[in-house]
Amino acid sequence: MTEEEISRVLRRDWGNYLSQQNWLALSEVPNALREVIVKQLYVSINQGTATDGHCFGMVHAANEYFRDPDRVPTAVEDLSSVASPAAPIGDTVDFHHNRQILDPHTWGAWMLLYGGFELDYRTQLAAVRGAIDRGEVAGLALATWPRLEGHAVLAYGYRDQQEELILDVYDPNWPAEYYQTHTEEIRFDTGGDRPQLVSPYDGRYSRVVYVGSELRLPALVRTGAEVVARYLLGGIITVLVTSSVSLRVVDSTGAELRRDTADHMSSLPTEYSNIRYRYGEPKGDYTIQVAGTAGTRYTLEIDGASRRGKVIDRQMTNTFDPETTTHEFRVTVPDSPAGHVTIRRL
């Protein structure tokens, strides 16, 4: 997809979604901010960073066929016999897997999952139970913490057991015959005011978000709608280099800025290769480390915007000499376009 095509999707789908959700208007997001968001989404889409395992696409293809069996391709006699997501099943899997980047609700749910907010499991579990009671299944996004790895499953049943709620889930990492003798479970302790996971799912996924669209995004976390709006569409900063060098960016809290990775992503660079990014207000101090080999010339680009407009847009070109193959910079980003940007070499 081109940046213009992504921009049209944001104006059309995200604008309609936000209006329906009634918690933020797209008009509150200035063009400068949308342009930086489009840049980050462009890299994710064109480098295929949603292709890691196809778990999201597999569970939502399964959900589609569960809700409407007539959509199962006529060439497929038994879905449980499909060993891999090849065509025509694979086309449905790919559609659902790739849409998670541009679908505003799914994108927002993933971003909140990765955002470190306290999750509101009481509200989410009520919605999951409601979906199952209606004869539906419930899509769940999972993440490790603090190292961010994602997964997706479908909840199709639940059991109340003393002070626990046990969700029976379909995990696409297991073949169909596995479920003839086994049940995969996610267990929540519901004995207190705030339900919590009893233990990480599969020994590592310690955060869970329900991705059903009937829940507004702010309902997923224990914070106000304005906090969610400031995080998701309040600002973004991106840092990238245009050569084959190593890049590391750390914010003032010591957290490293995200880099999209996936086992099966394309290794072909976009014009925005090697990008690091962070959603939320971009203001603050950042430490940037660039490492390479002697004689390598690179351009470092820093781009950031908030609801108040563009707050930083800087480019620097440098060359490594034989004695120094690591460059380190300290960047201070102001909270408004009128503020003063400072960049100094350490």
Side-chain angles (χ1 to χ4, degrees):
M1 293 184 71
T2 66
E3 289 182 78
E4 177 55 35
E5 289 171 330
I6 296 170
S7 184
R8 285 201 299 268
V9 171
L10 262 64
R11 290 194 298 269
R12 181 193 64 207
D13 296 347
W14 292 38
N16 291 339
Y17 173 81
L18 293 172
S19 297
Q20 293 166 2
Q21 293 285 301
N22 195 32
W23 62 278
L24 178 69
L26 194 64
S27 60
E28 298 178 52
V29 181
N31 289 335
L33 175 53
R34 272 184 273 178
E35 288 172 359
V36 187
I37 293 174
V38 165
K39 178 193 296 185
Q40 189 276 310
L41 295 177
Y42 172 85
V43 175
S44 294
I45 292 168
N46 287 288
Q47 289 193 326
T49 53
T51 59
D52 206 359
H54 278 86
C55 57
F56 187 90
M58 292 174 71
V59 298
H60 286 278
N63 186 18
E64 177 181 327
Y65 297 144
F66 172 78
R67 295 172 60 185
D68 187 359
D70 291 338
R71 296 184 69 86
V72 177
T74 55
V76 179
E77 296 182 1
D78 180 11
L79 281 172
S80 64
S81 67
V82 178
S84 61
I89 297 292
D91 295 337
T92 304
V93 171
D94 285 341
F95 168 77
H96 286 291
H97 205 73
N98 289 322
R99 74 172 174 84
Q100 63 182 300
I101 297 178
L102 286 179
D103 175 74
H105 184 84
T106 306
W107 173 84
W110 277 114
M111 295 304 296
L112 289 174
L113 185 66
Y114 289 144
F117 297 102
E118 182 183 359
L119 300 171
D120 188 343
Y121 285 130
R122 182 171 298 281
T123 299
Q124 293 190 54
L125 291 176
V128 171
R129 293 175 63 139
I132 295 172
D133 288 343
R134 295 190 300 271
E136 303 171 3
V137 291
L140 303 174
L142 295 77
T144 58
W145 187 265
R147 186 166 180 254
L148 302 177
E149 297 177 356
H151 190 38
V153 299
L154 280 181
Y156 60 86
Y158 68 85
R159 289 164 282 145
D160 288 302
Q161 183 174 295
Q162 296 180 342
E163 293 187 339
E164 286 188 4
L165 176 67
I166 304 171
L167 299 180
D168 298 323
V169 300
Y170 160 65
D171 184 335
N173 283 346
W174 297 100
E177 56 266 21
Y178 172 84
Y179 292 98
Q180 296 176 5
T181 55
H182 296 79
T183 302
E184 287 295 294
E185 302 173 342
I186 301 180
R187 306 170 75 98
F188 290 87
D189 181 349
T190 56
D193 293 336
R194 300 182 179 182
Q196 298 293 330
L197 278 171
V198 172
S199 59
Y201 174 71
D202 198 29
R204 56 184 180 144
Y205 297 106
S206 57
R207 290 172 65 78
V208 181
V209 157
Y210 173 54
V211 294
S213 59
E214 71 269 24
L215 274 188
R216 297 165 68 235
L217 287 173
L220 300 178
V221 294
R222 297 184 61 85
T223 187
E226 178 55 32
V227 173
V228 173
R230 285 201 305 270
Y231 172 66
L232 293 179
L233 293 172
I236 182 175
I237 185 169
T238 64
V239 181
L240 61 96
V241 289
T242 58
S243 300
S244 297
V245 296
S246 172
L247 175 65
R248 184 171 184 263
V249 186
V250 178
D251 67 18
S252 56
T253 70
E256 194 166 344
L257 269 63
R258 285 194 63 193
R259 177 189 184 187
D260 285 341
T261 59
D263 288 343
H264 306 290
M265 66 182 282
S266 170
S267 60
L268 296 175
T270 69
E271 56 266 54
Y272 304 130
S273 60
N274 217 352
I275 192 171
R276 305 293 189 273
Y277 66 92
R278 191 194 73 179
Y279 280 86
E281 289 281 351
K283 65 180 179 180
D285 296 324
Y286 299 85
T287 301
I288 300 174
Q289 295 175 334
V290 185
T293 57
T296 299
R297 183 180 176 87
Y298 69 89
T299 298
L300 178 67
E301 300 181 8
I302 310 167
D303 197 2
S306 70
R307 296 262 194 93
R308 289 174 291 278
K310 184 80 74 173
V311 293
I312 184 171
D313 185 5
R314 294 291 182 89
Q315 296 184 3
M316 297 174 290
T317 299
N318 295 283
T319 302
F320 294 113
D321 58 42
E323 290 77 28
T324 307
T325 55
T326 299
H327 294 166
E328 187 167 321
F329 305 88
R330 179 66 51 79
V331 180
T332 299
V333 179
D335 61 359
S336 74
H340 180 60
V341 174
T342 61
I343 301 176
R344 60 188 178 92
R345 179 95 168 263
L346 300 180

